[in-house]
Amino acid sequence: MGRIFDIKRYATGDGPGIRALVFLKGCPLACAWCANPESQHAETEILFYRDRCVGCGRCVAVCPTGAIGLDPAVGLTTDLAKCTACGRCVDACLHEAREKVGEDRSVDEVMELLGRDRRYYENSGGGVTLTGGEPLFQPQFSAALLGACKREGLHTALETSGFADREAMELVLEHVDLLYYDLKHPGPRAHQAGTGQSNAPVLRNLSRIREAFSGDLIVRIPYVPGFNEDPDVQRKMIETASRVRGIRRVEILPYHRLGLTKYAALGRTCAVADLAPVDKGSLGGLRDLGRRHGIEVEIDAR
Amino acid sequence: MTLRTDRLRNELLEARPRICPERARFFTASMKMTDGQPIVKRRVRAYGDVLRSMSLYVRDGELLVGNLASTPRGAPVFPEYSVEWIEREFHGDPYHFYERPNDVYDYDEETKTEVLEILAQWRGHTVYEIVRGLIPDAARQAWDIGAIDDDWVTQNGFGNILPDYGVLLPQGLRGVIDRAKARLAELDLKQPGEAKKQWFLESVIAANESVIGFAGRYAEKLEEMATRESDKARRAELETMARNCRNVPENPPSSFWEALQAVWFIHVGILLETNGIAISFGRFDQYLWPYYERDLASGKLTREKALELVESFFIKVNELNIFRSWAGAKFFPGYHMAFNLAIGGQTRDGKDASNELTYVVLDATAKVAMPKPSVSLKWFERTPRELMSRTLEVVQEHSGGQPAFYNDPGVMRMLKNLGVAQEDLWNWAPVGCIEASIPGKWDFACKGPRLNKAKVLEMALHGGKDPATGITLLPGGDLASFASAQDVMDAYKRQLHYFMELQVMIEQINDEVHIQNDLNPFRASLISDCIGRGKDLLEGGSIYSTDGGPTVGAMTAGDALAGIETAVFEQRWITGAQLLHAIDTNFEDDSTTPTGEEIRLLLLNKAPKFGNDDDRADKWTVALTDYLGSTYQKEFKNSRYGKGPVPACFAYCQSSVTANVAMGKGVGALPNGRKAGEPLNNGVSPATGAEKNGPTATINSVGKLPSIWFSRGAIFNLRLSPDTLLTQAGRDRVTALVQTLFEKNQYHIQFNVVGTDTLRAAQAHPEEYRDLLVRVAGYSAFFAPLNRELQEDIIRRTEFDMAQC
């Protein structure tokens, strides 16, 4: 079984053609700018969109642990200590104000769903992309799912932070055609501060990637003001990427704020909530930087 | 686009449609003199008088001539079909023509007086009044309830004709006349029935001579204009145009330019004989190709000049207009005339048929970017990727959803099932909004009363009673009494069958009335084998024949059935009686538990819906569609059965046009959470807002439909976010969507690519967006002049969000 929080059936930004995007839940990193905060925790969670709530109380009535309360000042509240994420409140809600994220699915179940769109993948040269969260955080499941895709002749892609055991990486990469590998910061301290983890495994895994993986490789760099927008920092990462043998290109993903409503729905605050979205037009210099290192840099391929 | 095309286009955008009394004037005067004679002879004489007498215009700079009315976008009056609505609307009921919410017409007092005088002479004798007087009471009530509706083919002539220009052009109308003369000489007038054939064939000859004479009048006018023209270049053009009109449509065209002029005269000739819409152009890039190729090889023509000529042709198409009732304009807004024009597809031996002219047509579609004609690409497995890509670029540039995409092998499979001969299959072309036809061999690709499938469901849930009028036609159990979802379905099928029977009865009567009042030898002479058989289309002259009016609302009905199954029989949230009360009170009774609004939200958000690849919902739509398709085709014969054509049955049509909005207004709340009066689903597209899993899931749902019954068309609208088609990768992905849909044997798909922001801006500032096109249903229309409800329906049709596409 794997814990999945979403499957998008017509994804177009993470690999060629028409693709299914399988989102695995749980990530060892905790990036401050994460656009999918519901992907971070391994546990199943309930999102609550306060602006859609009409305060009818149907969820309060069905909650078996009394976790949902009504505070006259702010409306509904959830005591996370009591919530078991059973999802009954989601079923009860008539206004789509609640969403359950995180379902345990077998490889066969996921393959059944992917099989429904098989002809779209084949006709468009597309396939399946695993993303997260961190797919390497569930290595057995990811390897089994991607292996099943390969047996079905589907093109596979994987998006990873690179923060994983060597063994997990090798286990999964065996079944991957296209790898998206994130670089976030070259400095150990800054990386630790921004993502909650050391970048040592990320850099080590990348430097040895070709021992385990011979497919297409694209390095992705999130461009986050206040974290890694320093030209020197960007240069170092592009340099690092350019040293990987046979790398296809670097993709710069400028910070955006589309995840903010989900932080609110999770009852969390985003550490960089005040950060303005990046103007893509200002990043042309990175393309020139790439050219000087003999590597193509694409801004926001999505 | 050349400066000339640009100017002609701008003038047309400025031109206000006007009521033109000329056709009614000359036609009526002639008919008064021939009372008592055979109808075919009377009408052909009147037709000749119209073509001899009506005023001609030649617009400054135009390259093709031939007008339907005295002004560009002028709308001729055909009083023989219906007068009542014209009289009413002249008196402001429900609107004056010039102040309608859409489809306005201007006129001066003189015209109004003249037209009213003419109408008075027709009162009591029009096709519409005669039909209404003859149909059974139940059919009239069903019509008044809005379960069925035959206005469109009783207030106007029959349409949906497709001549075979590939056969016509090389022989010219002289060839048609010669054939009729030869056939006439063979008649043995001692034999029964031959007298009628004689009248018909003589009328064929007279009609074709009249059209040739019409072209001759233009030749004279152009010659005279040339002598007065001071600009040398324009004078040379006028002289060429005069020569063109001397040669065609009588004789085979000697150039590409003449071939276009010949098609144009025949098209206008058909439209002046009767005002039936959807007269289509067929496989334009195929039958014009020999002329294009020859002229290019000889140096007479360049690609640029050819493009200008095709642009000029497209401009002419947009000069045509129809005078339509307000009731009709709600169904077909935007002065819609459904002139379909096909490109691509395959050759007789299964090769890719596309050529350079295919791309010229695409360029003209993008550059002229007006509502007419409806350009359609026939796709098959050997359609080049380059052609798909260019066509999708044009979808973006045109913005109004043109071209639309048709499944060539899929439609061939449906036509074969219908009984079309193997050797004719490859050459099919879409007619009107969408319906498949064989060029020059089919009578009416679409004809017959509309059926409102959601209204019939509403009645089935109410024991056969229409809640709005209280009328019960076929009593039965109601929603409170059904023991299972299948019981509901069975009751629904029983009601559907009843209303299909009424549809068929009305159309049999309609046809008999037309046979007595509305035979049209010109267009009949263009369809095989009317001349051979000496018969009009309605008498059984064509090779192929079907009836079957557009039906509306299958997906809305299927979702309602899924809602009943989920809420009443599976989850048991509420009883059938509670649900019945909830829809009767439009989900507004908040004294019940759960409240009406809670029931609506349960149905809307918690019950499965068609369009999400969810069998719990899709199975109902599939079953309903299969029932309707097989019943029409297997149980009901049309009036031509046994008279020559095959299969001469009814067939299932899902070309809703915008009837989903107009018909939705008359339907109360339904168990899919839809409130009273809201639009129904469009064509075979999911109900608005129902699809939530992206386009592959939507296409998978549509792909489950039993398309073997869909030869009369199934419109599928998919809205894409506005930037989808801007990149090659995006166009390749959409190509894969089209290909996969068509591998599932489905009929058609078209794309709306205008963003919500743009549409909202156009609502706020219509004057700045006067040439913004949108795909309405089987055709395109300017967005700004549409009425507000329709604008809202177009905006609400699901736009897959940016992240999805």
Side-chain angles (χ1 to χ4, degrees):
Chain A
M1 290 291 219
R3 183 157 293 172
I4 287 169
F5 74 90
D6 198 8
I7 297 179
K8 276 215 183 336
R9 289 176 66 174
Y10 182 71
T12 59
D14 298 287
I18 294 171
R19 309 189 72 81
L21 219 52
V22 181
F23 291 84
L24 277 75
K25 192 156 159 59
C27 183
L29 271 51
C31 304
W33 58 86
C34 182
N36 289 325
E38 78 278 28
S39 75
Q40 293 177 325
H41 296 177
E43 303 77 32
T44 297
E45 294 167 279
I46 305 292
L47 295 176
F48 172 52
Y49 297 98
R50 190 170 295 282
D51 58 324
R52 296 185 196 163
C53 175
V54 298
C56 69
R58 286 169 63 99
C59 53
V60 180
V62 299
C63 181
T65 61
I68 308 174
L70 189 60
D71 178 334
V74 295
L76 292 178
T77 59
T78 305
D79 181 348
L80 289 175
K82 286 190 191 165
C83 176
T84 61
C86 67
R88 285 190 207 176
C89 56
V90 178
D91 293 338
C93 180
L94 296 176
H95 299 272
E96 301 188 307
R98 291 178 174 273
E99 184 185 351
K100 184 177 175 184
V101 286
E103 298 270 4
D104 289 339
R105 310 275 279 271
S106 70
V107 169
D108 286 351
E109 282 172 318
V110 177
M111 288 307 291
E112 190 278 327
L113 186 65
L114 300 181
R116 288 168 169 258
D117 288 351
R118 182 193 179 98
R119 287 300 289 158
Y120 303 94
Y121 313 145
E122 290 169 348
N123 286 333
S124 67
V128 176
T129 299
L130 254 57
T131 181
E134 172 52 67
L136 298 183
F137 196 60
Q138 301 183 51
Q140 300 296 339
F141 178 78
S142 293
L145 180 59
L146 290 169
C149 288
K150 285 319 296 175
R151 276 194 297 283
E152 294 280 318
L154 301 178
H155 179 270
T156 57
L158 177 79
E159 198 176 26
T160 179
S161 66
F163 190 89
D165 296 345
R166 189 77 201 146
E167 298 73 40
M169 198 137 219
E170 286 175 4
L171 182 70
V172 174
L173 287 183
E174 184 190 340
H175 308 290
V176 172
D177 296 315
L178 167 63
L179 179 64
Y180 289 102
Y181 197 107
D182 281 10
L183 279 182
K184 298 186 170 80
H185 204 290
R189 256 185 306 229
H191 196 276
Q192 182 81 41
T195 71
Q197 295 284 7
S198 154
N199 64 355
V202 176
L203 295 173
R204 191 169 58 238
N205 282 332
L206 184 61
S207 68
R208 298 178 56 192
I209 192 78
R210 284 307 187 192
E211 294 169 24
F213 179 67
S214 58
D216 289 330
L217 178 62
I218 292 170
V219 165
R220 280 186 162 168
I221 299 176
Y223 185 93
V224 184
F227 173 65
N228 64 7
E229 90 278 33
D230 183 293
D232 211 39
V233 167
Q234 289 289 330
R235 182 183 53 76
K236 278 187 185 151
M237 286 192 286
I238 288 172
E239 259 176 27
T240 304
S242 71
R243 282 198 294 271
V244 181
R245 181 158 41 86
I247 182 174
R248 182 106 66 87
R249 64 172 172 270
V250 169
E251 294 180 358
I252 306 288
L253 308 183
Y255 171 74
H256 64 74
R257 299 160 56 108
L258 301 177
L260 284 185
T261 51
K262 290 191 277 192
Y263 280 95
L266 284 161
R268 297 185 216 156
T269 47
C270 176
V272 294
D274 299 331
L275 204 56
V278 176
D279 171 19
K280 288 179 205 169
S282 67
L283 302 180
L286 295 174
R287 260 191 228 112
D288 303 332
L289 188 62
R291 223 168 283 133
R292 284 201 293 280
H293 288 88
I295 187 166
E296 183 197 348
V297 171
E298 195 174 281
I299 313 295
D300 192 11
R302 291 150 181 271
Chain B
M1 190 159 48
T2 61
L3 281 174
R4 179 210 309 265
T5 314
D6 195 36
R7 185 175 51 73
L8 289 167
R9 179 179 185 272
N10 280 326
E11 284 172 12
L12 210 48
L13 288 172
E14 296 287 344
R16 297 262 299 179
R18 297 185 65 80
I19 297 172
C20 172
E22 290 192 6
R23 192 267 175 194
R25 178 193 306 153
F26 303 124
F27 183 81
T28 305
S30 178
M31 291 295 277
K32 267 165 68 181
M33 295 188 296
T34 57
D35 200 16
Q37 291 184 33
I39 188 64
V40 67
K41 303 215 77 168
R42 293 181 68 199
R43 282 187 64 91
V44 82
R45 176 165 169 185
Y47 181 55
D49 286 351
V50 170
L51 293 183
R52 262 186 302 280
S53 315
M54 60 181 279
S55 54
L56 313 180
Y57 66 75
V58 176
R59 292 175 66 193
D60 186 23
E62 72 178 349
L63 297 170
L64 298 166
V65 292
N67 49 269
L68 193 58
S70 45
T71 56
R73 301 190 75 198
V77 179
F78 286 71
E80 68 268 38
Y81 297 108
S82 54
V83 296
E84 174 267 350
W85 62 271
I86 309 176
E87 292 173 341
R88 247 189 317 108
E89 294 194 48
F90 265 131
H91 296 116
D93 175 19
Y95 303 103
H96 288 287
F97 287 111
Y98 50 84
E99 57 180 25
R100 287 176 173 187
N102 54 267
D103 291 55
V104 298
Y105 302 97
D106 286 348
Y107 56 85
D108 51 33
E109 277 307 306
E110 209 178 317
T111 300
K112 176 180 171 180
T113 308
E114 181 184 3
V115 171
L116 282 172
E117 271 172 30
I118 293 171
L119 299 183
Q121 301 174 51
W122 283 96
R123 223 193 199 304
H125 308 284
T126 63
V127 169
Y128 178 77
E129 289 164 284
I130 297 169
V131 171
R132 285 284 300 198
L134 288 170
I135 59 175
D137 286 344
R140 199 159 29 242
Q141 284 180 306
W143 194 339
D144 291 339
I145 288 169
I148 55 182
D149 181 318
D150 209 19
D151 280 349
W152 79 292
V153 279
T154 52
Q155 287 187 345
N156 305 294
F158 293 145
N160 297 73
I161 302 284
L162 177 62
D164 188 350
Y165 288 107
V167 169
L168 275 177
L169 293 181
Q171 55 170 310
L173 296 187
R174 185 55 59 197
V176 176
I177 291 169
D178 289 346
R179 175 122 197 281
K181 283 182 175 167
R183 187 72 193 92
L184 199 54
E186 288 167 11
L187 292 183
D188 176 357
L189 294 173
K190 298 187 296 300
Q191 299 303 324
E194 299 281 279
K196 255 182 105 177
K197 293 181 186 171
Q198 183 189 15
W199 301 337
F200 174 75
L201 291 166
E202 285 170 355
S203 302
V204 163
I205 295 163
N208 279 274
E209 291 288 5
S210 294
V211 175
I212 292 168
F214 187 54
R217 290 182 62 208
Y218 279 99
E220 267 169 47
K221 184 177 178 74
L222 290 160
E223 282 156 6
E224 189 266 331
M225 285 173 71
T227 59
R228 283 188 289 111
E229 178 62 53
S230 54
D231 181 89
K232 258 181 84 176
R234 180 61 181 161
R235 187 164 67 229
E237 278 177 0
L238 290 169
E239 285 165 356
T240 306
M241 289 160 67
R243 278 197 302 278
N244 291 351
C245 295
R246 287 273 175 230
N247 191 41
V248 295
E250 180 173 10
N251 303 305
S254 65
S255 68
F256 180 68
W257 193 345
E258 280 192 7
L260 282 169
Q261 182 66 67
V263 173
W264 187 250
F265 273 132
I266 292 169
H267 188 72
V268 171
I270 297 170
L271 291 171
L272 282 164
E273 193 179 28
T274 142
N275 66 346
I277 57 163
I279 312 304
S280 293
F281 294 109
R283 303 186 67 188
F284 198 77
D285 62 340
Q286 301 304 301
Y287 58 76
L288 289 173
W289 172 247
Y291 305 96
Y292 179 90
E293 193 182 25
R294 200 173 59 198
D295 285 5
L296 226 66
S298 71
K300 202 176 189 176
L301 186 72
T302 60
R303 190 187 191 281
E304 292 67 40
K305 186 67 193 171
L307 176 58
E308 188 177 43
L309 285 166
V310 174
E311 286 172 359
S312 187
F313 188 91
F314 280 19
I315 296 280
K316 287 305 275 185
V317 182
N318 286 284
E319 282 178 27
L320 301 175
N321 208 350
I322 183 164
F323 189 38
R324 182 174 276 138
S325 69
W326 170 240
K330 281 190 288 187
F331 285 100
F332 295 112
Y335 311 98
H336 163 55
M337 293 174 86
F339 301 135
N340 214 311
L341 185 154
I343 54 174
Q346 57 189 295
T347 60
R348 188 187 292 275
D349 53 357
K351 297 202 174 74
D352 167 39
S354 66
N355 54 46
E356 189 172 272
L357 187 53
T358 314
Y359 292 85
V360 170
V361 171
L362 286 170
D363 289 354
T365 306
K367 287 178 173 161
V368 175
M370 291 187 74
K372 301 167 194 164
S374 300
V375 178
S376 300
L377 178 77
K378 284 173 67 175
W379 175 94
F380 81 131
E381 57 276 14
R382 283 184 285 284
T383 296
R385 176 167 174 263
E386 176 199 5
L387 178 56
M388 277 301 284
S389 181
R390 175 62 190 142
T391 307
L392 286 165
E393 272 178 1
V394 173
V395 169
Q396 183 76 44
E397 290 165 26
H398 180 273
S399 90
Q402 289 192 34
F405 298 84
Y406 288 74
N407 182 1
D408 196 3
V411 174
M412 287 165 67
R413 172 177 169 271
M414 300 166 203
L415 290 172
K416 190 173 178 176
N417 174 258
L418 201 58
V420 172
Q422 186 70 35
E423 67 266 24
D424 284 335
L425 293 173
W426 65 282
N427 202 29
W428 76 273
V431 164
C433 288
I434 188 162
E435 308 84 32
S437 183
I438 304 298
K441 294 190 174 181
W442 205 293
D443 53 6
F444 312 101
C446 183
K447 179 169 93 58
R450 292 198 188 83
L451 176 69
N452 185 340
K453 292 172 275 194
K455 185 68 185 180
V456 176
L457 177 63
E458 186 188 14
M459 294 176 77
L461 299 179
H462 288 85
K465 186 172 87 177
D466 171 43
T469 59
I471 294 172
T472 301
L473 291 171
L474 179 68
D478 69 11
L479 183 51
S481 72
F482 299 130
S484 69
Q486 191 55 47
D487 272 6
V488 183
M489 185 65 175
D490 291 344
Y492 182 30
K493 281 186 185 172
R494 190 167 153 265
Q495 293 287 340
L496 282 169
H497 201 279
Y498 177 81
F499 285 100
M500 283 194 270
E501 289 171 21
L502 292 179
Q503 276 185 298
V504 174
M505 276 187 237
I506 289 179
E507 207 52 18
Q508 302 291 3
I509 292 165
N510 196 16
D511 286 356
E512 296 301 339
V513 171
H514 276 268
I515 287 174
Q516 293 191 348
N517 293 279
D518 189 30
L519 298 184
N520 295 292
F522 179 60
R523 70 176 184 190
S525 73
L526 310 177
I527 305 295
S528 188
D529 191 21
C530 288
I531 292 178
R533 294 180 189 155
K535 286 177 170 181
D536 184 84
L537 293 169
L538 276 167
E539 296 171 324
S542 65
I543 305 288
Y544 301 115
S545 172
T546 46
D547 274 0
T551 66
V552 182
M555 285 66 202
T556 298
D559 286 351
L561 291 165
I564 294 169
E565 180 175 51
T566 306
V568 178
F569 298 109
E570 281 185 0
Q571 301 295 326
R572 298 175 189 272
W573 292 322
I574 45 174
T575 65
Q578 281 177 294
L579 180 51
L580 190 59
H581 176 78
I583 58 175
D584 284 345
T585 50
N586 200 23
F587 303 115
E588 283 161 5
D589 185 352
D590 55 12
S591 69
T592 57
T593 310
T595 66
E597 176 64 4
E598 284 172 336
I599 291 172
R600 188 181 76 84
L601 291 167
L602 277 168
L603 295 165
L604 195 67
N605 293 330
K606 302 293 181 185
K609 300 280 184 295
F610 180 85
N612 296 293
D613 197 8
D614 183 342
D615 289 336
R616 294 175 302 155
D618 298 348
K619 67 177 181 184
W620 293 111
T621 310
V622 168
L624 168 61
T625 304
D626 194 48
Y627 175 71
L628 288 164
S630 58
T631 304
Y632 274 123
Q633 196 163 319
K634 298 297 180 194
E635 287 193 28
F636 299 119
K637 301 176 178 71
N638 77 12
S639 69
R640 278 83 79 208
Y641 185 83
K643 296 178 176 175
V646 293
C649 61
F650 277 70
Y652 185 38
C653 173
Q654 298 174 89
S655 167
S656 65
V657 197
T658 57
N660 67 308
V661 177
M663 284 191 153
K665 286 193 75 128
V667 179
L670 288 175
N672 61 338
R674 173 193 157 282
K675 296 194 81 170
E678 288 180 3
L680 310 174
N681 80 285
N682 187 298
V684 295
S685 322
T688 299
E691 74 255 62
K692 292 183 173 162
N693 287 343
T696 62
T698 301
I699 289 172
N700 285 353
S701 280
V702 173
K704 293 172 194 172
L705 297 173
S707 62
I708 194 71
W709 309 120
F710 290 3
S711 73
R712 303 301 87 215
I715 292 180
F716 179 24
N717 287 294
L718 196 64
R719 207 170 148 187
L720 299 173
S721 65
D723 58 349
T724 304
L725 297 177
L726 294 177
T727 63
Q728 186 62 48
R731 292 191 292 274
D732 286 345
R733 274 193 290 269
V734 174
T735 297
L737 290 179
V738 173
Q739 187 179 344
T740 310
L741 174 73
F742 287 172
E743 285 172 0
K744 296 171 190 288
N745 290 319
Q746 296 303 316
Y747 194 95
H748 158 275
I749 189 167
Q750 63 194 13
F751 301 102
N752 251 324
V753 293
V754 184
T756 302
D757 294 351
T758 308
L759 295 175
R760 290 284 176 216
Q763 280 185 319
H765 307 285
E767 65 291 348
E768 291 168 33
Y769 290 88
R770 64 173 190 183
D771 63 353
L772 175 69
L773 282 167
V774 289
R775 193 72 178 180
V776 174
Y779 64 97
S780 312
F782 292 120
F783 180 75
L786 296 177
N787 70 60
R788 192 79 183 188
E789 283 165 338
L790 193 53
Q791 288 183 341
E792 290 298 322
D793 185 54
I794 287 166
I795 291 172
R796 278 193 307 262
R797 286 180 201 164
T798 306
E799 176 177 9
F800 293 109
D801 63 48
M802 303 293 278
Q804 292 270 304
C805 288

